[in-house]
Amino acid sequence: MKIKEIISVLETMAPLAYAEDFDNVGLLVGNQDDKATGVLVCHDALENVIEEAISKKCNFVVCFHPILFSGLKKITGKNYVERAVLKAIKNDIAIYAVHTALDNHQNGVNKIFCDALGLKNTKILVPKENFIQKLITYTIPENHQKLRNALFDAGAGNIGNYENCSFNSQGIGSYQGNENSNPEIGERGEFVENTEIKIEVTFEKHLQSKILKALFSNHVYEEVAYEIYDLQNSHQNIGLGMVGELEIEMPEKEFLEFVKTKMKAEGIRHSEYLGKPIKKVAVLGGSGSFAIKKAIQAGADAFLTADLKYHQFYESENQLLLADIGHYESERYTKNYIVDYLTKKIPNFAIILSEENTNPVKYL
């Protein structure tokens, strides 16, 4: 099995198009055409993790956080990033990062977080913007079903819990081909009016080339008339953070003790207790201060995230319990999820969970 075949599975789990624009995901180091000897899954691809991969005969490291986040002008081994990259290159080890591609997936980081706490009725906290496009095209009734089904097969027409969604209307189309035309209906130079079906479907924008390929391959016209629009609608199934509900509400202190146990947190910093029970909980793995207002708007009783600064605790505005459980802790089970996913998709292949704890934060 080649590394690129494993990458194909990873991109099914966490499509790179889901990642935030600032992020650096995908294959960071190595050659995708190399034969894979084994996969080591970790949280951070540090030098000690690369050494672990060498010892376990794995030449493909899949990490959550990208070890290469911004550009390198030199690779001399002067810092932890350069040392890890140098060791990987010297030992022909490829490194692949998923990060916000998995953060934004509805079954990714924040669903894993919710599942660890047993939250029910979960939904995205911060839906992804500017990610949906709409295709409008026109064809004859005889071609309508075939074309529409081809668009569905290419990924168009998925809305929330529904698939194969479209709007179809009938009207009269007109055209007149010049001397170089080859019309499906009518003759060159003839003014033609004909019954047509207008098809409207939405799709995730990263599928555009696939959608257009299906359109052109299955349309009967010599000149295909179509329009593509960017929609302002948020994507309700892709985005950062989640909000859900506990089976049974808890007092605030009991709730934080519960979170501390479930997420194996060594300490939790939190805002002032408000004296009300916790039922509805918002979560955002990693740095989530930007979503405090979203958690309040969602009606959450508590918001669990990480990397909160002093003044950001004031932003709870006495409307919810705000808790920083630690960056690593909030993403703790992500690597386990990746291992489970790859093991199910690629059975009888070495998929290994790293034993290295790469959490740089220690507690006294």
Side-chain angles (χ1 to χ4, degrees):
M1 175 175 287
K2 290 188 176 182
I3 287 173
K4 64 182 177 183
E5 295 176 74
I6 302 172
I7 289 175
S8 178
V9 176
L10 287 167
E11 291 184 3
T12 300
M13 178 191 74
L16 297 185
Y18 286 12
E20 295 297 307
D21 292 338
F22 65 80
D23 205 4
N24 189 32
V25 293
L27 187 63
L28 307 180
V29 176
N31 187 340
Q32 66 173 0
D33 290 318
D34 286 350
K35 183 178 179 180
T37 59
V39 179
L40 182 71
V41 180
C42 65
H43 204 81
D44 304 277
L46 304 179
E47 188 177 12
N48 59 331
V49 173
I50 303 302
E51 291 171 351
E52 181 185 13
I54 295 168
S55 68
K56 293 178 178 176
K57 296 180 172 54
C58 296
N59 68 340
F60 190 30
V61 172
V62 176
C63 53
F64 178 64
H65 290 140
I67 187 66
L68 286 172
F69 197 78
S70 53
L72 293 178
K73 292 186 177 181
K74 298 178 182 179
I75 307 179
T76 60
K78 68 179 180 182
N79 58 42
Y80 77 98
V81 173
E82 293 180 12
R83 288 192 294 273
V85 172
L86 271 176
K87 188 171 286 289
I89 292 172
K90 284 181 179 180
N91 291 277
D92 293 323
I93 292 176
I95 302 175
Y96 184 101
V98 294
H99 205 210
T100 57
L102 191 57
D103 274 314
N104 276 312
H105 197 285
Q106 63 179 337
N107 294 319
V109 175
N110 296 293
K111 184 62 165 64
I112 297 164
F113 197 164
C114 287
D115 288 346
L117 299 175
L119 301 184
K120 307 297 181 183
N121 304 319
T122 57
K123 62 180 182 179
I124 300 294
L125 179 63
V126 187
K128 198 166 182 63
E129 304 282 350
N130 303 313
F131 201 72
I132 304 174
Q133 293 184 320
K134 183 175 186 178
L135 169 73
I136 298 176
T137 191
Y138 310 82
T139 190
I140 56 175
E142 295 83 354
N143 179 231
H144 166 236
Q145 261 191 341
K146 177 187 176 184
L147 177 58
R148 187 179 60 178
N149 289 340
L151 294 173
F152 290 156
D153 290 342
N158 294 323
I159 302 175
N161 295 320
Y162 297 86
E163 58 185 26
N164 297 347
C165 302
S166 67
F167 186 81
N168 308 268
S169 53
Q170 184 172 300
I172 302 297
S174 67
Y175 57 84
Q176 183 173 350
N178 63 24
E179 60 185 20
N180 296 316
S181 66
N182 186 26
E184 178 72 16
I185 298 173
E187 303 294 333
R188 296 184 183 94
E190 178 186 359
F191 179 75
V192 176
E193 288 187 311
N194 191 61
T195 299
E196 289 188 320
I197 304 293
K198 178 182 180 182
I199 304 172
E200 302 179 54
V201 289
T202 59
F203 58 92
E204 295 175 5
K205 68 178 182 181
H206 67 283
L207 297 174
Q208 185 184 117
S209 61
K210 191 175 179 182
I211 298 295
L212 289 179
K213 182 177 179 181
L215 173 65
F216 296 137
S217 299
N218 292 277
H219 208 296
V220 295
Y221 286 175
E222 179 186 20
E223 294 288 347
V224 179
Y226 71 97
E227 306 157 48
I228 290 180
Y229 299 98
D230 290 325
L231 301 184
Q232 297 300 311
N233 309 50
S234 298
H235 197 306
Q236 298 301 313
N237 286 335
I238 301 174
L240 295 167
M242 276 197 165
V243 60
E245 297 177 344
L246 292 165
E247 287 275 12
I248 302 174
E249 64 181 31
M250 299 182 188
E252 292 162 301
K253 186 174 181 181
E254 181 183 330
F255 169 71
L256 290 181
E257 292 287 355
F258 167 76
V259 172
K260 186 176 180 181
T261 299
K262 289 293 185 180
M263 303 307 293
K264 300 179 183 179
E266 294 189 50
I268 295 180
R269 298 186 302 138
H270 62 87
S271 60
E272 188 174 356
Y273 290 139
L274 300 177
K276 64 178 185 179
I278 304 299
K279 176 70 173 179
K280 194 171 187 179
V281 180
V283 306
L284 201 157
S287 303
S289 61
F290 65 90
I292 295 173
K293 289 183 180 178
K294 289 287 187 180
I296 294 173
Q297 291 168 4
D301 301 311
F303 179 35
L304 307 176
T305 188
D307 300 343
L308 297 177
K309 296 180 181 180
Y310 176 89
H311 290 94
Q312 288 168 339
F313 282 94
Y314 289 125
E315 294 179 26
S316 64
E317 296 285 0
N318 294 320
Q319 296 185 62
L320 51 60
L321 179 65
L322 186 56
D324 184 333
I325 74 167
H327 193 122
Y328 179 88
E329 288 79 4
S330 68
E331 301 166 341
R332 174 181 294 282
Y333 302 112
T334 303
K335 62 182 181 180
N336 303 73
Y337 173 84
I338 297 171
V339 168
D340 290 344
Y341 188 93
L342 290 178
T343 301
K344 289 175 184 176
K345 296 294 183 180
I346 314 174
N348 305 315
F349 191 79
I351 311 292
I352 300 172
L353 179 66
S354 172
E355 297 178 45
E356 295 291 329
N357 181 351
T358 57
N359 186 1
V361 180
K362 307 302 176 185
Y363 298 85
L364 183 62

